[in-house]
mmCIF file of all heavy atoms in Angstrom:
data_model
loop_
_atom_site.group_PDB
_atom_site.id
_atom_site.type_symbol
_atom_site.label_atom_id
_atom_site.label_comp_id
_atom_site.label_asym_id
_atom_site.label_seq_id
_atom_site.Cartn_x
_atom_site.Cartn_y
_atom_site.Cartn_z
ATOM 1 N N ASN A 795 116.398 121.861 95.729
ATOM 2 C CA ASN A 795 115.058 121.294 95.764
ATOM 3 C C ASN A 795 114.761 120.576 97.078
ATOM 4 O O ASN A 795 113.935 119.655 97.126
ATOM 5 C CB ASN A 795 114.805 120.380 94.556
ATOM 6 C CG ASN A 795 115.741 119.182 94.467
ATOM 7 O OD1 ASN A 795 116.802 119.145 95.117
ATOM 8 N ND2 ASN A 795 115.347 118.182 93.682
ATOM 9 N N VAL A 796 115.386 121.005 98.151
ATOM 10 C CA VAL A 796 115.085 120.468 99.493
ATOM 11 C C VAL A 796 113.655 120.840 99.863
ATOM 12 O O VAL A 796 113.207 121.938 99.538
ATOM 13 C CB VAL A 796 116.156 120.914 100.527
ATOM 14 C CG1 VAL A 796 116.005 122.407 100.843
ATOM 15 C CG2 VAL A 796 116.017 120.123 101.798
ATOM 16 N N ASP A 797 112.952 119.925 100.462
ATOM 17 C CA ASP A 797 111.574 120.188 100.903
ATOM 18 C C ASP A 797 111.628 120.716 102.347
ATOM 19 O O ASP A 797 111.828 119.915 103.287
ATOM 20 C CB ASP A 797 110.720 118.895 100.816
ATOM 21 C CG ASP A 797 109.269 119.134 101.106
ATOM 22 O OD1 ASP A 797 108.819 120.289 101.125
ATOM 23 O OD2 ASP A 797 108.564 118.132 101.341
ATOM 24 N N GLY A 798 111.452 121.973 102.525
ATOM 25 C CA GLY A 798 111.609 122.596 103.859
ATOM 26 C C GLY A 798 113.012 123.152 104.014
ATOM 27 O O GLY A 798 113.639 123.526 103.056
ATOM 28 N N GLN A 800 115.520 121.469 106.044
ATOM 29 C CA GLN A 800 116.491 120.466 106.388
ATOM 30 C C GLN A 800 116.294 119.172 105.636
ATOM 31 O O GLN A 800 115.198 118.904 105.200
ATOM 32 C CB GLN A 800 116.409 120.162 107.900
ATOM 33 C CG GLN A 800 116.839 121.265 108.795
ATOM 34 C CD GLN A 800 116.800 120.839 110.232
ATOM 35 O OE1 GLN A 800 115.994 120.027 110.637
ATOM 36 N NE2 GLN A 800 117.723 121.400 111.028
ATOM 37 N N ALA A 801 117.386 118.431 105.521
ATOM 38 C CA ALA A 801 117.320 117.117 104.909
ATOM 39 C C ALA A 801 118.030 116.156 105.850
ATOM 40 O O ALA A 801 118.827 116.554 106.693
ATOM 41 C CB ALA A 801 117.991 117.109 103.547
ATOM 42 N N LEU A 802 117.754 114.876 105.697
ATOM 43 C CA LEU A 802 118.408 113.839 106.499
ATOM 44 C C LEU A 802 119.718 113.485 105.823
ATOM 45 O O LEU A 802 119.803 113.456 104.580
ATOM 46 C CB LEU A 802 117.496 112.616 106.541
ATOM 47 C CG LEU A 802 118.073 111.319 107.118
ATOM 48 C CD1 LEU A 802 118.235 111.446 108.605
ATOM 49 C CD2 LEU A 802 117.176 110.131 106.787
ATOM 50 N N SER A 829 109.257 106.460 97.297
ATOM 51 C CA SER A 829 110.167 107.360 96.556
ATOM 52 C C SER A 829 110.914 108.259 97.534
ATOM 53 O O SER A 829 110.332 108.671 98.542
ATOM 54 C CB SER A 829 109.343 108.220 95.574
ATOM 55 O OG SER A 829 108.677 107.418 94.656
ATOM 56 N N VAL A 830 112.159 108.541 97.202
ATOM 57 C CA VAL A 830 113.027 109.353 98.056
ATOM 58 C C VAL A 830 113.858 110.231 97.168
ATOM 59 O O VAL A 830 114.444 109.767 96.177
ATOM 60 C CB VAL A 830 113.937 108.431 98.945
ATOM 61 C CG1 VAL A 830 114.793 109.298 99.853
ATOM 62 C CG2 VAL A 830 113.112 107.439 99.739
ATOM 63 N N GLY A 831 113.992 111.489 97.562
ATOM 64 C CA GLY A 831 114.962 112.382 96.918
ATOM 65 C C GLY A 831 116.309 112.104 97.523
ATOM 66 O O GLY A 831 116.483 112.118 98.755
ATOM 67 N N ILE A 832 117.298 111.762 96.697
ATOM 68 C CA ILE A 832 118.649 111.402 97.196
ATOM 69 C C ILE A 832 119.720 112.216 96.481
ATOM 70 O O ILE A 832 119.620 112.483 95.308
ATOM 71 C CB ILE A 832 118.928 109.881 96.930
ATOM 72 C CG1 ILE A 832 117.897 109.011 97.678
ATOM 73 C CG2 ILE A 832 120.335 109.506 97.345
ATOM 74 C CD1 ILE A 832 118.083 107.543 97.437
ATOM 75 N N PHE A 878 118.464 117.104 94.511
ATOM 76 C CA PHE A 878 118.110 115.742 94.843
ATOM 77 C C PHE A 878 117.618 115.043 93.588
ATOM 78 O O PHE A 878 116.927 115.679 92.769
ATOM 79 C CB PHE A 878 116.988 115.684 95.902
ATOM 80 C CG PHE A 878 117.419 115.966 97.304
ATOM 81 C CD1 PHE A 878 117.031 117.088 97.963
ATOM 82 C CD2 PHE A 878 118.241 115.059 97.956
ATOM 83 C CE1 PHE A 878 117.400 117.342 99.262
ATOM 84 C CE2 PHE A 878 118.645 115.303 99.268
ATOM 85 C CZ PHE A 878 118.229 116.445 99.920
ATOM 86 N N ASP A 880 115.267 111.781 92.370
ATOM 87 C CA ASP A 880 114.316 110.812 92.895
ATOM 88 C C ASP A 880 114.659 109.411 92.540
ATOM 89 O O ASP A 880 114.968 109.098 91.371
ATOM 90 C CB ASP A 880 112.884 111.112 92.393
ATOM 91 C CG ASP A 880 112.175 112.141 93.259
ATOM 92 O OD1 ASP A 880 112.631 112.410 94.354
ATOM 93 O OD2 ASP A 880 111.140 112.664 92.793
ATOM 94 N N ASP A 915 122.554 112.356 101.304
ATOM 95 C CA ASP A 915 121.486 113.282 101.701
ATOM 96 C C ASP A 915 120.175 112.741 101.210
ATOM 97 O O ASP A 915 120.051 112.284 100.040
ATOM 98 C CB ASP A 915 121.722 114.685 101.088
ATOM 99 C CG ASP A 915 122.855 115.417 101.730
ATOM 100 O OD1 ASP A 915 122.750 115.707 102.933
ATOM 101 O OD2 ASP A 915 123.840 115.720 101.024
ATOM 102 N N LEU A 916 119.162 112.790 102.077
ATOM 103 C CA LEU A 916 117.822 112.256 101.751
ATOM 104 C C LEU A 916 116.771 113.270 102.075
ATOM 105 O O LEU A 916 116.881 113.989 103.084
ATOM 106 C CB LEU A 916 117.500 110.969 102.520
ATOM 107 C CG LEU A 916 118.568 109.890 102.548
ATOM 108 C CD1 LEU A 916 118.175 108.838 103.550
ATOM 109 C CD2 LEU A 916 118.726 109.332 101.164
ATOM 110 N N ASP A 917 115.735 113.349 101.272
ATOM 111 C CA ASP A 917 114.593 114.263 101.509
ATOM 112 C C ASP A 917 113.375 113.797 100.771
ATOM 113 O O ASP A 917 113.452 112.998 99.859
ATOM 114 C CB ASP A 917 115.005 115.657 101.059
ATOM 115 C CG ASP A 917 114.046 116.725 101.532
ATOM 116 O OD1 ASP A 917 113.534 116.624 102.672
ATOM 117 O OD2 ASP A 917 113.822 117.700 100.772
ATOM 118 N N ASN A 918 112.253 114.322 101.159
ATOM 119 C CA ASN A 918 110.981 114.119 100.483
ATOM 120 C C ASN A 918 110.647 112.628 100.323
ATOM 121 O O ASN A 918 110.423 112.141 99.218
ATOM 122 C CB ASN A 918 111.021 114.848 99.150
ATOM 123 C CG ASN A 918 109.602 115.098 98.621
ATOM 124 O OD1 ASN A 918 108.606 114.968 99.342
ATOM 125 N ND2 ASN A 918 109.506 115.502 97.351
ATOM 126 N N VAL A 919 110.642 111.915 101.437
ATOM 127 C CA VAL A 919 110.304 110.500 101.457
ATOM 128 C C VAL A 919 108.786 110.374 101.259
ATOM 129 O O VAL A 919 108.000 111.005 101.999
ATOM 130 C CB VAL A 919 110.728 109.833 102.753
ATOM 131 C CG1 VAL A 919 110.349 108.363 102.800
ATOM 132 C CG2 VAL A 919 112.238 109.989 102.970
ATOM 133 N N ARG A 920 108.363 109.578 100.280
ATOM 134 C CA ARG A 920 106.931 109.426 99.977
ATOM 135 C C ARG A 920 106.597 107.959 99.787
ATOM 136 O O ARG A 920 107.269 107.253 99.070
ATOM 137 C CB ARG A 920 106.570 110.158 98.694
ATOM 138 C CG ARG A 920 107.000 111.628 98.763
ATOM 139 C CD ARG A 920 107.112 112.329 97.439
ATOM 140 N NE ARG A 920 107.781 111.770 96.293
ATOM 141 C CZ ARG A 920 109.073 111.849 96.030
ATOM 142 N NH1 ARG A 920 109.902 112.373 96.903
ATOM 143 N NH2 ARG A 920 109.585 111.375 94.904
#
Side-chain angles (χ1 to χ4, degrees):
N795 61 342
V796 68
D797 186 14
Q800 291 184 328
L802 170 72
S829 299
V830 181
I832 299 178
F878 282 114
D880 274 346
D915 286 297
L916 311 171
D917 192 34
N918 201 11
V919 178
R920 305 160 316 273

